[in-house]
Amino acid sequence: MQKLRFFFLLVLLPNLLLAQQRTKIILQGSSQAKVDTKTNITYVKNPIFRQDNAILTCDSAVFYTERNFFEAYKNVHINQGDTVNIFSDFLDYDGNAKLAHLNSNVRMVDPTSVLTTNVLDYNMNTRIGTYTDGGKIVNKEGITLTSKKGWYFAFSKDAFFRYNVVVVTPQSVIKSDTLRYNTLSNWTYFYGPTNIKGKDDNLYTENGLYNTKTENAYFDKHNLYTNGSRSLKGDSLYYYGKKGYAKAVRNIVYIDTSDKTVMRGQLGEYYKGDERVLVTKNAYVAIGTDDSVMVGNKKIPDTLWLGADSLEAQKSFVKNIKLLNKPIIEKDNEIGAEDEKAKEEKEKEKAAAKKEMANAKLLNKAVVSNESTKKLSRKERKEAEQKAKDTKNTSPPKLVADSILLTKAKLRLDSIKQDSLLNLQKQQALIKTKDSLKTAQKVADSLKKIAVSGKKPAIADPKAKAVVANKANPVGKGGKDSVAVFNPADTVTARVIKAYHNVRVYKSNMQAIADSLYYTSADSVLRWYKNPILWSDGSQQTGDTINVFFKNKKTHSFQVLQNAFIVNLETDTTKFNQVKGKKITGFFQNGELRDMYVDGNAESMYYNKDKNGNYDNLNQTVSGRIKFRFADKELSEVTIIKKNEGTMFPIDKMPKEPLLTGFIWKPELRPRSKADVIKGRPKPKATPKTVPGDKSKVGDKTKGVDPSGVRPILPAKKPAASTNPKEAEQKPTLPSKPLEMVPVKTDTGKVVLPKKG
């Protein structure tokens, strides 16, 4: 309200001095006049009054000379400065205050707009018109404004509206509580709750401005833009309607309810044409899943949090997206690709074939059983005998008869199949005919409109649109390209999310970092590129590319492609199980990693335990494929599937922590909560450099906690120095030469690791 008071003050101040000057109303002429000398009242017909630069006329009037006041009736017209014209049925005019009170069919006309109302108070000095019982303004562009109360400023061409304000433009409908509109500039100013409803979108604000001609807008209080299932809000919102572009600044939130996507940041841009949004400055997105996580004693849906320097989300045609098939385990532990459509069709074909065979057996059995109880007719017997002669068949007549019966059964079965196929074809033809009739009717209506108006009408139905296009440009005239082919699959869209630079992901059973990421709801696959690292429980995966697959909104599997390397930290130790290969595939069950396959020059190093759960030796293998099984988040079983070579190091003779070439262990980079995704992990404090393979580099021994936040690390206890010289002499020393390799027996190719305890 403070802004409104200031606005009124600026408008009224230049005219306050003029309001002090009083002038007399002059009766310039009339067709008939009658004066009452006692009261000094003049009754006139068709009078012409004049005051300053205003001319006032009507059919009849009562003029009070001493009061400088008159009452006007029928066809009232006020003309002021050749720019403002006001019409009504009745008028009371006070010449001292220069106030006109107009009633019934009031119209106020200036070069830019027309104001209509039933009751209007107009100040001739300030040129301000006021109505309190409903009014309407229509400008020269055809924009209509209605409200319960209104003030029109003829000098500045501003109109101020209160209560039930509605603005109708060719592009939108604006509903507000308090609004100001300038008929010259077409700018609309909002001072209360306001909705701008477009053809397929809506803008809400409680303070801002909007241009009804250019469709540009700026909002700065409780702003919200919605388009279908999508919405965008921020502290400040800029909108350019004709460009279909919106920009949000500070505390922005982008939501798509269709795929449960929530994107946040401090700067956002929305492009209406391709339904694309770009978020920067602390950008992050929440993607809903059907995985569950325990919070206290209650299960709640597990959300995937994704953060990056820049996030981009948009709708894209599925035909333009390269989809990935989920990996599956085939027979003999082979890894294949899941083609769901082909799989469904194959299953349907198998079921149909099985059903068909069962029906055929039942039918053959029924026919043979029925026919065998009957005697052969004379004609059938002759046919059988003739067939036997022609084929020189020496078999008994009974076998010939049986062959005839079987032939009849097969003929009947073929007849049933043909009838079923014919019925199916008839049903499909009937459906196509109905669709064709509907399309033909739409085409006929459209062609009729074209013939009458000469203009092409908008056609909503794509099939009808294609047919009309063919009619307008048939084959032979426009060439092959003139034939429009409609494929419904081409119109299917899916959500695509792209993340650039400093990508961070947190989910209760999975965390990751990378330089860039790509995700689409069409195949539900997260793709990490450029130095990606993925953590799951106590395992870390690295490679050139990492793909994580979701099925039914649950974590299904992952694949590490090229230079794949996985490190698994043994519980309560600093011992690393290591695996490397060209490709690593892992499968989840109930949110936990269960099976993992390593393919292509598979190398592994893993620790074995004895029956008591103590570490016994370190096994190193090289093969074409290795399978690992996990139970209770620990490595429980290793299976060598293809040809392999293996060695084993006794645990008590290992000189140092063995590492495979390409070993990487970065627990300090692991996102530990959604806060690390939203704000980013704090920069680590400078630590002294350590030699790779040195146990002292793993974890913070002073705190006894693994920086990954997964498992505690037990500080190594150094034995007290012995004071007995004999004991010191008996202490074993490490050999200067490398340890000899002990061959591992791999007859079955399977090594089972005993569970702890």
Side-chain angles (χ1 to χ4, degrees):
M1 293 302 296
Q2 202 68 22
K3 290 183 179 179
L4 297 181
R5 293 192 188 99
F6 182 69
F7 168 73
F8 277 113
L9 185 62
L10 289 178
V11 173
L12 296 176
L13 189 60
N15 303 297
L16 291 178
L17 295 176
L18 294 174
Q20 304 300 323
Q21 299 177 1
R22 292 188 177 184
T23 56
K24 288 290 185 180
I25 299 173
I26 300 172
L27 178 59
Q28 284 189 339
S30 65
S31 62
Q32 185 178 342
K34 181 180 178 181
V35 180
D36 187 339
T37 57
K38 292 182 180 181
T39 59
N40 200 17
I41 298 175
T42 304
Y43 300 90
V44 292
K45 289 186 177 180
N46 302 316
I48 301 175
F49 296 102
R50 182 181 182 87
Q51 186 181 37
D52 298 331
N53 65 340
I55 303 294
L56 302 94
T57 62
C58 59
D59 287 356
S60 61
V62 179
F63 181 33
Y64 302 87
T65 308
E66 292 181 356
R67 292 172 53 191
N68 202 27
F69 180 91
F70 71 83
E71 298 171 351
Y73 304 93
K74 299 295 182 182
N75 295 318
V76 177
H77 179 203
I78 299 175
N79 176 257
Q80 186 180 28
D82 296 329
T83 56
V84 177
N85 291 277
I86 305 175
F87 306 89
S88 69
D89 291 340
F90 305 101
L91 165 68
D92 292 334
Y93 183 72
D94 184 352
N96 295 328
K98 296 183 180 179
L99 292 176
H101 180 74
L102 302 103
N103 281 285
S104 184
N105 299 320
V106 181
R107 289 188 304 122
M108 181 177 177
V109 182
D110 71 9
T112 61
S113 60
V114 177
L115 165 65
T116 59
T117 183
N118 281 326
V119 180
L120 178 70
D121 292 316
Y122 181 71
N123 190 309
M124 300 285 285
N125 193 44
T126 60
R127 295 195 181 187
I128 297 175
T130 304
Y131 63 84
T132 58
D133 195 25
K136 179 174 70 173
I137 291 181
V138 180
N139 72 355
K140 59 184 180 181
E141 279 83 18
I143 297 171
T144 303
L145 300 94
T146 59
S147 67
K148 185 178 181 180
K149 290 185 178 182
W151 295 261
Y152 181 73
F153 303 87
F155 274 123
S156 61
K157 300 298 184 290
D158 275 308
F160 181 77
F161 304 90
R162 284 296 306 272
Y163 310 121
N164 303 327
V165 185
V166 179
V167 183
V168 180
T169 75
Q171 301 82 18
S172 61
V173 176
I174 304 172
K175 294 183 179 180
S176 180
D177 177 72
T178 306
L179 180 148
R180 178 165 65 96
Y181 179 71
N182 187 281
T183 58
L184 277 178
S185 64
N186 299 111
W187 278 105
T188 307
Y189 304 84
F190 313 112
Y191 305 101
T194 304
N195 278 294
I196 304 175
K197 179 67 177 176
K199 294 178 181 178
D200 54 4
D201 55 5
N202 186 79
L203 281 161
Y204 174 83
T205 187
E206 294 181 9
N207 190 27
L209 58 154
Y210 172 74
N211 192 293
T212 57
K213 188 175 182 180
T214 64
E215 300 180 53
N216 295 339
Y218 167 73
F219 310 117
D220 64 355
K221 185 179 179 181
H222 298 159
N223 315 303
L224 177 65
Y225 171 80
T226 56
N227 183 357
S229 62
R230 299 163 295 280
S231 64
L232 175 67
K233 65 180 180 180
D235 291 353
S236 298
L237 187 64
Y238 302 83
Y239 180 69
Y240 304 87
K242 291 187 176 179
K243 294 181 180 179
Y245 169 78
K247 184 177 181 180
V249 181
R250 293 189 305 277
N251 301 319
I252 70 163
V253 181
Y254 173 80
I255 300 175
D256 192 337
T257 57
S258 64
D259 50 16
K260 298 180 181 179
T261 301
V262 181
M263 191 175 293
R264 299 173 187 267
Q266 296 302 312
L267 181 63
E269 299 176 64
Y270 178 73
Y271 301 85
K272 183 179 177 182
D274 52 3
E275 300 179 11
R276 178 167 59 95
V277 62
L278 176 65
V279 182
T280 57
K281 294 186 178 180
N282 294 340
Y284 66 96
V285 62
I287 303 175
T289 71
D290 284 347
D291 283 334
S292 298
V293 60
M294 293 295 296
V295 176
N297 296 325
K298 186 179 179 181
K299 273 188 177 182
I300 64 172
D302 191 13
T303 302
L304 186 145
W305 299 88
L306 165 63
D309 291 348
S310 299
L311 285 176
E312 182 179 304
Q314 73 176 106
K315 291 281 188 178
S316 181
F317 289 111
V318 174
K319 66 176 182 178
N320 298 330
I321 303 174
K322 185 179 180 180
L323 304 180
L324 299 180
N325 294 321
K326 297 175 182 60
I328 59 173
I329 305 174
E330 296 180 343
K331 63 180 181 178
D332 300 327
N333 284 316
E334 291 291 333
I335 302 296
E338 181 184 50
D339 189 344
E340 295 187 4
K341 288 186 177 179
K343 190 177 179 181
E344 288 178 3
E345 291 177 0
K346 195 173 182 180
E347 291 295 331
K348 287 180 180 178
E349 289 177 1
K350 286 183 179 179
K354 191 175 181 180
K355 188 175 181 181
E356 185 178 333
M357 290 296 294
N359 291 336
K361 288 180 180 178
L362 289 173
L363 184 59
N364 286 336
K365 187 176 180 181
V367 171
V368 172
S369 176
N370 186 36
E371 294 293 339
S372 62
T373 58
K374 298 179 181 179
K375 292 183 179 180
L376 293 174
S377 64
R378 185 177 296 175
K379 185 177 180 182
E380 291 173 340
R381 192 173 295 167
K382 286 184 178 180
E383 289 177 356
E385 291 176 356
Q386 185 63 37
K387 186 176 181 181
K389 289 179 181 180
D390 294 340
T391 58
K392 297 181 180 180
N393 189 0
T394 58
S395 301
K398 180 73 172 67
L399 295 178
V400 177
D402 289 342
S403 65
I404 293 174
L405 293 176
L406 289 173
T407 303
K408 286 186 176 183
K410 289 180 180 178
L411 290 174
R412 287 193 181 188
L413 181 60
D414 292 340
S415 177
I416 291 172
K417 288 181 183 178
Q418 289 177 359
D419 292 342
S420 301
L421 182 61
L422 185 60
N423 290 334
L424 180 62
Q425 290 175 347
K426 286 180 179 180
Q427 290 176 2
Q428 291 176 346
L430 183 61
I431 293 171
K432 288 182 179 179
T433 303
K434 289 180 179 179
D435 291 342
S436 300
L437 289 174
K438 289 180 181 178
T439 305
Q441 184 62 40
K442 291 178 182 178
V443 171
D445 295 341
S446 301
L447 293 175
K448 186 176 180 181
K449 289 180 181 178
I450 294 173
V452 173
S453 63
K455 296 180 179 180
K456 294 183 179 180
I459 304 172
D461 188 355
K463 292 182 179 180
K465 189 174 182 179
V467 175
V468 171
N470 290 343
K471 292 279 186 180
N473 193 10
V475 180
K477 295 182 180 180
K480 292 182 180 180
D481 294 338
S482 64
V483 180
V485 179
F486 173 72
N487 185 2
D490 293 343
T491 63
V492 178
T493 60
R495 170 68 58 194
V496 172
I497 296 177
K498 301 175 185 177
Y500 304 99
H501 309 306
N502 194 23
V503 178
R504 309 170 302 279
V505 172
Y506 177 82
K507 193 172 175 289
S508 63
N509 64 343
M510 177 182 65
Q511 302 82 41
I513 62 169
D515 177 75
S516 55
L517 176 144
Y518 180 91
Y519 171 80
T520 175
S521 59
D523 57 11
S524 300
V525 182
L526 284 166
R527 304 159 172 85
W528 279 279
Y529 302 103
K530 196 174 181 181
N531 303 322
I533 305 178
L534 175 69
W535 292 272
S536 178
D537 296 325
S539 299
Q540 172 191 280
Q541 295 88 30
T542 57
D544 292 353
T545 302
I546 298 179
N547 299 327
V548 175
F549 301 82
F550 289 83
K551 188 173 184 179
N552 300 325
K553 295 187 178 180
K554 292 185 177 182
T555 312
H556 174 268
S557 55
F558 73 85
Q559 279 192 329
V560 185
L561 308 177
Q562 298 301 323
N563 298 315
F565 203 116
I566 292 186
V567 179
N568 174 258
L569 182 65
E570 285 286 337
T571 308
D572 300 338
T573 70
T574 58
K575 300 181 184 301
F576 296 103
N577 296 315
Q578 304 161 54
V579 181
K580 63 181 295 188
K582 290 184 178 179
K583 181 173 70 173
I584 299 178
T585 306
F587 296 90
F588 290 87
Q589 185 175 341
N590 297 326
E592 294 184 2
L593 181 62
R594 185 55 51 89
D595 294 320
M596 188 172 68
Y597 293 81
V598 184
D599 289 287
N601 298 328
E603 296 183 49
S604 69
M605 274 188 181
Y606 56 90
Y607 289 89
N608 291 327
K609 296 179 181 180
D610 57 21
K611 295 180 180 180
N612 297 322
N614 298 319
Y615 290 102
D616 186 23
N617 56 64
L618 176 70
N619 200 332
Q620 181 175 3
T621 63
V622 178
S623 66
R625 168 174 291 167
I626 307 175
K627 175 186 176 183
F628 296 86
R629 170 151 288 190
F630 295 85
D632 298 327
K633 301 180 181 180
E634 291 187 6
L635 180 63
S636 63
E637 184 179 307
V638 180
T639 304
I640 311 299
I641 297 175
K642 294 187 178 180
K643 293 181 179 180
N644 70 93
E645 296 178 1
T647 58
M648 185 170 61
F649 296 94
I651 200 73
D652 57 346
K653 295 183 180 180
M654 291 173 51
K656 61 178 181 178
E657 188 80 24
L659 300 175
L660 292 176
T661 304
F663 175 87
I664 298 174
W665 180 246
K666 297 286 185 180
E668 69 277 5
L669 301 179
R670 183 176 190 171
R672 292 178 291 182
S673 67
K674 70 177 183 180
D676 290 342
V677 170
I678 297 171
K679 299 178 182 179
R681 286 188 58 81
K683 293 182 180 179
K685 295 180 180 180
T687 55
K689 295 182 180 180
T690 56
V691 179
D694 188 359
K695 294 182 182 180
S696 63
K697 79 180 183 69
V698 183
D700 185 353
K701 300 293 181 65
T702 60
K703 296 182 180 180
V705 177
D706 179 4
S708 66
V710 179
R711 297 182 177 90
I713 296 176
L714 300 179
K717 294 183 179 180
K718 295 183 179 180
S722 176
T723 58
N724 189 344
K726 292 184 178 181
E727 289 184 4
E729 292 177 1
Q730 293 175 358
K731 185 177 180 180
T733 57
L734 297 176
S736 57
K737 297 181 180 180
L739 296 174
E740 295 182 0
M741 292 186 172
V742 182
V744 177
K745 296 181 180 181
T746 56
D747 296 336
T748 60
K750 190 172 186 179
V751 180
V752 178
L753 306 179
K755 293 185 178 180
K756 185 177 180 181

